[in-house]
Amino acid sequence: MVVSDPIPAEYSLDRDCTTLSRHVVQQLVKTGKAASLLAPEAQDISAIMGRIALAGKLVARRLSKAGLVENALGFTGDVNVQGESVKRMDLYANEVFISVFKQSGLVCRLASEEMEDPYYIPENCPIGRYTLLYDPIDGSSNVDINLNVGSIFSLRQQEGEDLDGKATDLLQSGHKQLGAGYILYGPSTILVYSVGDGVHSFILDPSLGEFILTEESIQIPPHGPVYSVNEGNFWQWEDSIRDYTRYVHRHEGYTARYSGALVGDIHRILMQGGVFLYPGTRQKPEGKLRLLYESAPLAFLIEQAGGRASTGTQRLMDVIPQALHQRTPLIIGSQEDVELVESFIQDHHRRQGAEQDG
Ligand code: AHM
Ligand code: MG
């Protein structure tokens, strides 16, 4: 019998397990958003992140068994406010986020892709007046075939009284976000978040039922090989985006990766560099992705990691929405790669302007 060497002492110790809630309070104190670890705002936001993590665990558990459970997969037969067919998992995850915040005393409004109007929890309003914006299942087309999906979240604070129940105070730029992040349901469940001082990632340890810190202050490479875009829309794009894709086809060092789930594609780019694009098309000049609960939270995160996010003509964080479910073109990722796409768009607009003048 071969007896293996004892594990060297330096590896035998358990790692220092920093949990999400501990990390959030430390971050808030570091950024000056909370005066001390025990300050109410630190405790509130840490508790909110704890609830988001709970929602993530519930969704991950459901996804892991979805093929074995009756009525977990497939369509409900309904169409949501976006005109898209609703999947059972979309509804399940939407309800999960609502239920973890009911009677929590933490969040007084929730706004999501699956609800035309925000969901109000008036009894929570006296505390913190927080609003959670979220996409419960991003990349729903991947659900039924057991591929990666995600949840995206963004935290804002209610401004004014919102007496008419229209949540118009949410129609402000991405700079109003207190924090943002995503949960990636892949081979492991990963939570990535920022409250304005870097981007940090946690992996769910199923044996502990806790998200454990794995990487702090993630920096996106300034340039990367990946371009991530649905090239099936090629003939729907304006010339600038077509020219950009022709450029990457003709130059060495680029590779295409597109999973159909934004969170997975963005996670790859955050870790390895590159650019994700969902530009406008002829039929849909605003593209597909929603500003308040998809593009703006990811822009917040990627900027915090040293990257760049743009509509093609404007910094994405500066866009002021006109409506809760407004869509926006999105070009996001490594600084140099986003700038390259923007340069194609600017050139195209310059040429168009010159033709009109001439
Ligand atoms: P969803 O939130 O309804 O799933 O839609 C958003 C998803 C993104 O995750 C993904 O990048 C994009 O839609 C894929 O769209 P397409 O199939 O048009 O490429
Ligand atoms: Mg989505």
Side-chain angles (χ1 to χ4, degrees):
M1 194 177 78
V2 179
V3 180
S4 54
D5 286 343
I7 299 166
E10 65 267 35
Y11 297 121
S12 68
L13 292 172
D14 229 343
R15 59 191 298 174
D16 171 29
C17 291
T18 300
T19 58
L20 183 60
S21 48
R22 192 167 108 197
H23 195 262
V24 175
V25 278
Q26 285 168 352
Q27 282 286 302
L28 291 163
V29 172
K30 203 170 149 210
T31 56
K33 287 181 181 159
S36 72
L37 295 180
L38 294 174
E41 53 279 20
Q43 294 299 315
D44 285 350
I45 295 178
S46 161
I48 289 170
M49 284 301 302
R51 295 288 166 140
I52 293 169
L54 174 60
K57 289 179 216 172
L58 288 163
V59 173
R61 188 178 67 176
R62 179 86 169 175
L63 284 167
S64 72
K65 296 183 184 151
L68 302 168
V69 177
E70 229 168 286
N71 292 333
L73 298 176
F75 292 96
T76 63
D78 295 324
V79 170
N80 69 11
V81 58
Q82 326 283 328
E84 295 161 350
S85 299
V86 177
K87 294 211 154 168
R88 291 192 174 100
M89 197 57 79
D90 291 324
L91 279 197
Y92 174 82
N94 192 54
E95 287 300 319
V96 161
F97 274 86
I98 293 174
S99 64
V100 298
F101 282 107
K102 270 189 192 162
Q103 293 163 1
S104 66
L106 289 168
V107 158
C108 63
R109 296 179 307 192
L110 294 118
S112 98
E113 179 172 331
E114 303 304 330
M115 301 184 288
E116 185 158 4
D117 297 314
Y119 185 98
Y120 285 78
I121 312 177
E123 62 271 24
N124 288 354
C125 276
I127 308 151
R129 293 156 55 91
Y130 296 103
T131 299
L132 188 77
L133 294 119
Y134 64 109
D135 181 359
I137 295 283
D138 177 67
S140 311
S141 75
N142 280 7
V143 160
D144 293 345
I145 47 169
N146 193 35
L147 293 181
N148 69 284
V149 291
S151 301
I152 306 173
F153 57 88
S154 161
L155 190 65
R156 297 187 182 223
Q157 207 149 22
Q158 182 176 318
E159 289 184 3
E161 289 307 318
D162 191 9
L163 294 175
D164 59 0
K166 297 262 181 246
T168 43
D169 60 291
L170 291 176
L171 304 181
Q172 298 192 64
S173 77
H175 299 287
K176 288 283 180 182
Q177 295 173 104
L178 297 175
Y182 59 75
I183 303 164
L184 171 61
Y185 310 103
S188 50
T189 300
I190 297 184
L191 188 151
V192 176
Y193 90 104
S194 175
V195 286
D197 185 42
V199 175
H200 319 288
S201 84
F202 292 71
I203 294 186
L204 178 62
D205 180 337
S207 63
L208 293 173
E210 281 278 7
F211 281 98
I212 303 298
L213 179 67
T214 47
E215 207 168 336
E216 249 185 326
S217 304
I218 299 168
Q219 282 291 304
I220 183 170
H223 163 68
V226 168
Y227 74 100
S228 185
V229 64
N230 184 346
E231 289 197 58
N233 293 331
F234 188 87
W235 293 108
Q236 287 286 320
W237 296 331
E238 68 168 35
D239 288 341
S240 56
I241 304 296
R242 280 191 234 160
D243 286 347
Y244 168 73
T245 46
R246 288 186 184 110
Y247 174 91
V248 296
H249 292 166
R250 287 171 187 158
H251 287 77
E252 267 185 40
Y254 289 99
T255 187
R257 292 284 184 275
Y258 190 76
S259 74
L262 178 60
V263 168
D265 290 331
I266 293 288
H267 189 66
R268 179 196 292 277
I269 285 168
L270 172 66
M271 306 311 289
Q272 299 175 346
V275 60
F276 175 96
L277 304 89
Y278 207 114
T281 60
R282 285 188 208 280
Q283 278 159 359
K284 293 184 182 163
E286 297 307 316
K288 178 178 184 191
L289 303 173
R290 276 57 53 123
L291 178 60
L292 279 163
Y293 42 81
E294 290 178 324
S295 303
L298 296 176
F300 182 92
L301 274 187
I302 292 292
E303 285 199 2
Q304 281 294 319
R308 188 174 174 95
S310 157
T311 63
T313 52
Q314 188 182 9
R315 181 179 171 195
L316 200 122
M317 288 283 283
D318 292 341
V319 179
I320 298 172
Q322 306 293 311
L324 185 59
H325 298 287
Q326 180 169 318
R327 296 173 196 259
T328 174
L330 177 65
I331 297 153
I332 186 168
S334 296
Q335 179 83 23
E336 291 170 19
D337 298 299
V338 173
E339 280 171 357
L340 180 62
V341 181
E342 288 173 318
S343 72
F344 277 87
I345 295 170
Q346 281 154 12
D347 274 0
H348 177 71
H349 288 172
R350 245 194 311 272
R351 267 184 279 128
Q352 267 185 336
E355 276 165 29
Q356 275 161 13
D357 292 347

